[in-house]
Each structure stands twice: as structure tokens, then as C-alpha cells.
Amino acid sequence: LISEKIPGSPLVWLIAVIAARLIYFGYISLLLYQQDKRGFLTKAWGTLAFIKFKRYLLWIWTIDAAAIVISIIKFQSEFSLQLALPFMILGFVFVVVGFSSKLLAKKIVGERGYNYYDYFDNKEKPEEASNKKGIYKYFKNPMYGLGYLQVYGFAFLCLSIRGLIIAVFAQVLIYTFHFLVENPHLSRIYQKNT
């Protein structure tokens, strides 16, 4: 099994997932909230604020994704082998649908919208709210909804019950972030720009 080649116990990687997700949720939430209310990062870093923020964001996203993937691998093969093929097929479908929906959503909002650029320069309306097109015609938030299917799919591919629990935990925190941090900011921008 691949999981035996990865150092550390499953518990260590589960703790890594919780820590990475809480850092993502807590640190990025705090930075974006402070930027939104006070222009904190712009005051500290000037015109380089978005570039520096994006660098931190990409590191946190990478660590978060790696912790999730490795922890799911460490918990692989928990399903009955008689159910393996149907769950692996379902997992493959979920991975394809999840990645596709995330890519389609990112294509609509653009690189800047995907990386929270509107917190640094909100003169432009974020695309998904001002013009419902593409995947946004059918789903209000495809990045956090359908876009998380690949995490569930990966858990199914690894036959990991605890991986499904990790996927639920990750998605609950990203929706919490969305409702507490992104929604108030975007609502304010739409009101300003209409």
C-alpha cells in the first residue's frame, strides 16, 4: 500500500489536516477581513500587497491540499473489497466533475477573482455576481459546492471512510469561510458598484 511508504501515522496526518484547514480558515480569514475593513495589507505592503498575499495564499492552499490528500491515503482501504469497484468508479466520476466544475468556475471569475483580488482593488465587480453565465447559471457557488466533489472522489478512490469525514470537515470550513468572510465583502461591493 502507498500509505505504508508515507512517514507518520494516520493520526499525525489527521492533525495536519485540521491544523492546515484551521490556518487556512483562520489566517486567510483574518487577513482578508483586515484588508476589507482597514486596507491592512495595502497599508503594510503598498502596491505589492496583492502579490505578497497571493504568495502566502498559494503556500497555504498547497499545504492544505497536501495534508488532505496524504491523510486520505493514510486511511485508505477501509471499505469492503466487494464494494471497491463501484466506489472507485463513483470516486473517479466525482474527481472529474469536481475538477471540471472548479476549472469552469475559475474561468468565469478569472485569476483575480479566484485569488481574492477584489479585496485589494474592488473597483471592478466580481464576474460571477454581475453576470450569471457558464456554470454560475446553474449553481450559486460551484467552487465550494461541486468543486469539492474531487475530495470526496479521492476518498472513494482510496476506499477511505475517514477520508469522507475529512472531506466533509474541509467543505464545512470552506463554506463557513464563504459565509463569514466572502459574503459580507461581496455584498458590500455589489451595493457600492450598482
Side-chain angles (χ1 to χ4, degrees):
L1 290 175
I2 295 172
S3 64
E4 294 169 359
K5 296 179 182 183
I6 299 171
S9 71
L11 180 61
V12 167
W13 285 103
L14 182 60
I15 291 168
V17 166
I18 294 168
R21 197 65 349 192
L22 291 176
I23 289 168
Y24 176 16
F25 175 73
Y27 184 64
I28 296 301
S29 294
L30 179 65
L31 287 179
L32 289 176
Y33 179 81
Q34 291 299 323
Q35 176 64 20
D36 189 36
K37 298 295 181 197
R38 297 173 187 80
F40 172 76
L41 297 173
T42 305
K43 288 176 186 171
W45 294 331
T47 57
L48 296 176
F50 176 69
I51 293 167
K52 288 185 176 190
F53 169 78
K54 185 177 173 184
R55 191 176 308 145
Y56 287 118
L57 180 66
L58 293 177
W59 272 104
I60 290 171
W61 278 349
T62 302
I63 292 165
D64 180 57
I68 289 171
V69 167
I70 292 170
S71 66
I72 290 172
I73 290 171
K74 289 299 277 187
F75 288 118
Q76 73 181 352
S77 298
E78 298 175 319
F79 281 77
S80 161
L81 289 180
Q82 290 111 350
L83 300 174
L85 186 60
F87 279 117
M88 291 179 87
I89 291 169
L90 181 64
F92 178 76
V93 170
F94 276 18
V95 167
V96 169
V97 171
F99 273 121
S100 299
S101 64
K102 200 165 267 245
L103 289 173
L104 290 170
K106 184 178 178 183
K107 185 177 178 184
I108 298 296
V109 300
E111 186 69 28
R112 289 179 162 194
Y114 188 76
N115 292 302
Y116 309 109
Y117 183 76
D118 56 310
Y119 280 81
F120 297 85
D121 179 8
N122 58 22
K123 293 177 185 92
E124 300 174 23
K125 265 189 190 180
E127 183 66 33
E128 78 271 18
S130 62
N131 190 0
K132 298 261 185 198
K133 60 184 177 181
I135 195 167
Y136 284 94
K137 277 193 239 179
Y138 310 104
F139 300 98
K140 186 174 181 178
N141 194 333
M143 282 195 207
Y144 297 157
L146 288 178
Y148 262 68
L149 277 181
Q150 75 267 13
V151 181
Y152 294 95
F154 190 67
F156 280 128
L157 284 170
C158 290
L159 305 173
S160 176
I161 295 167
R162 286 178 271 193
L164 293 172
I165 295 167
I166 290 167
V168 169
F169 171 72
Q171 192 169 29
V172 165
L173 275 184
I174 199 64
Y175 266 118
T176 303
F177 170 80
H178 176 68
F179 288 117
L180 295 180
V181 179
E182 285 182 314
N183 264 357
H185 168 76
L186 295 174
S187 295
R188 200 178 86 264
I189 286 176
Y190 299 151
Q191 290 170 359
K192 270 188 191 176
N193 291 331
T194 54

